[in-house]
Amino acid sequence: MKDSRMPPGCPHPSYCRKTFVYVMAACALLTTISLLAGDVSTSSSRTHSRPGPVLPVFLVNKTTNRFRHGCYERGIIKEPKQLLPAKTLKQLGCRQRPPNAIVFGVKKGGTTALKEFLAFHPDVTVTPKELHFLSNYSLSKQGIAKYASMMPFSLPNQIAIEKTPAYFVRPKCPERLKPMIPDCKLIAILTDPILRAISDYVHMVWTRDNMAKGARELDPDRRESIPHYEVESTFRESVLYPNGSVKTWNTLVDSGLYFKHTKNWLRYFPSDNLFFLDGNELVKRPVQSFRELERFLKLSPFFSDDIFHFNRTKGFYCIQYPLYSCMPSAKGRPHPVVEEDVIRRLQVYYEPYNIAFSKLVKKTFSWTRYSYGPVKKGHR
């Protein structure tokens, strides 16, 4: 009996019939594989209503609200991570490695939020605290083995990241880093230098008044030719002389000279190794900012609209996958009211440096040019 599904004009019906059966079986197999792949994809992502990266599977323990991430078990932001058992670490190839990348600036620019969100990426491990390895000569002189011993455990395919924003303004840091990790990637998140200075002032006042040893960087005997902190009773007195000129040597002011400090780092590292994020953009559009960072670090795509959720109660973005987690609301301290003439004097001082910096890194920031209006009050 002639099979109606057979192609017409076949010269060898028996051979064609066998070939046809093989082809149909192959098609069925491919269809099954395709369906299975669709099932796996669905289980590893929360939605496919729009294009974006497929989210990895994080198995969250509903009792402890924690999940395995690399060589650790972790929970929400700021919760301590727990190292996996030694046997498991060995099986996974976990060990302490020198950093592949460093969040090296800038202080009071948003580095903590950057670190905490980045730490959710499955291919990243970050230090839980600032190491100050490069800014401490007694540590850095011990070399790369000592550096690695201070880092968290990481999988062979993970990028290990350290965060110490003080490195950006310390002249000796790039000189010490270059021989140890010549291809290190360097990440800085920057904000308006004036807002940064105000936030730094608030931080240093609190440190002076609340820390047991006070602020070690507050040294009234330092020469004005060397940048150092001077924190007076008001922000105005801290950054301006009585005649209105700027105290350029005060670290509150000097740390915002991004052009100056970047030029120093470029003496040791090529521009391709440096990446600058606009802190305002990170707050308003975190997905775009983190996607840029993923490309810079050559990470697999992870951050998408499925990862972030804008919390209207808190007024900022939170992580919603694999756990709902937000930065603490009380992290920042209220900024003082700063007189408009102080703001404008600082705007006039900073703007030429802001423009020069933007040209240097070939990127325009939300604060590159000022409108010469009062800066809004804020927290960081």
Side-chain angles (χ1 to χ4, degrees), residues 40 54 60-61 72 101 105 128 131 148 222 238 252 256 259 284 325 352:
V40 171
V54 176
V60 179
N61 185 317
Y72 295 84
L131 300 184
R222 296 280 288 275
S238 300
L252 294 173
F259 175 76
K284 296 176 181 177
S325 187

Side-chain angles (χ1 to χ4, degrees), residues 125-164:
T125 185
V126 299
T127 51
K129 61 181 182 179
E130 298 173 9
L131 300 184
H132 295 277
F133 177 82
L134 297 173
S135 53
N136 187 328
Y137 177 68
S138 63
L139 288 175
S140 61
K141 70 178 182 179
Q142 298 180 56
I144 195 168
K146 177 64 176 178
Y147 207 172
S149 72
M150 299 172 69
M151 293 293 294
F153 282 77
S154 61
L155 297 171
N157 66 320
Q158 281 186 314
I159 289 179
I161 298 179
E162 193 230 325
K163 187 212 87 165
T164 301

Side-chain angles (χ1 to χ4, degrees), residues 122-255:
D123 299 334
V124 167
T125 185
V126 299
T127 51
K129 61 181 182 179
E130 298 173 9
L131 300 184
H132 295 277
F133 177 82
L134 297 173
S135 53
N136 187 328
Y137 177 68
S138 63
L139 288 175
S140 61
K141 70 178 182 179
Q142 298 180 56
I144 195 168
K146 177 64 176 178
Y147 207 172
S149 72
M150 299 172 69
M151 293 293 294
F153 282 77
S154 61
L155 297 171
N157 66 320
Q158 281 186 314
I159 289 179
I161 298 179
E162 193 230 325
K163 187 212 87 165
T164 301
Y167 293 161
F168 184 62
V169 300
R170 300 294 178 88
K172 292 289 185 181
C173 287
E175 179 182 339
R176 293 169 182 169
L177 177 63
K178 182 67 174 181
M180 288 188 285
I181 314 174
D183 58 346
C184 189
K185 298 288 188 179
L186 300 160
I187 304 158
I189 178 168
L190 308 174
T191 191
D192 180 343
I194 302 171
L195 287 179
R196 196 222 66 79
I198 297 171
S199 184
D200 201 3
Y201 167 78
V202 172
H203 172 78
M204 295 304 292
V205 168
W206 183 91
T207 302
R208 179 194 64 194
D209 297 341
N210 293 275
M211 300 295 284
K213 296 181 180 179
R216 290 178 296 175
E217 293 175 282
L218 295 175
D219 184 357
D221 297 325
R222 296 280 288 275
R223 300 190 308 273
E224 292 187 2
S225 60
I226 301 174
H228 63 281
Y229 278 107
E230 180 179 88
V231 176
E232 302 289 357
S233 58
T234 66
F235 181 72
R236 171 192 283 274
E237 294 173 304
S238 300
V239 299
L240 297 181
Y241 288 107
N243 66 2
S245 59
V246 178
K247 295 181 179 179
T248 59
W249 48 266
N250 195 331
T251 301
L252 294 173
V253 176
D254 181 76
S255 296

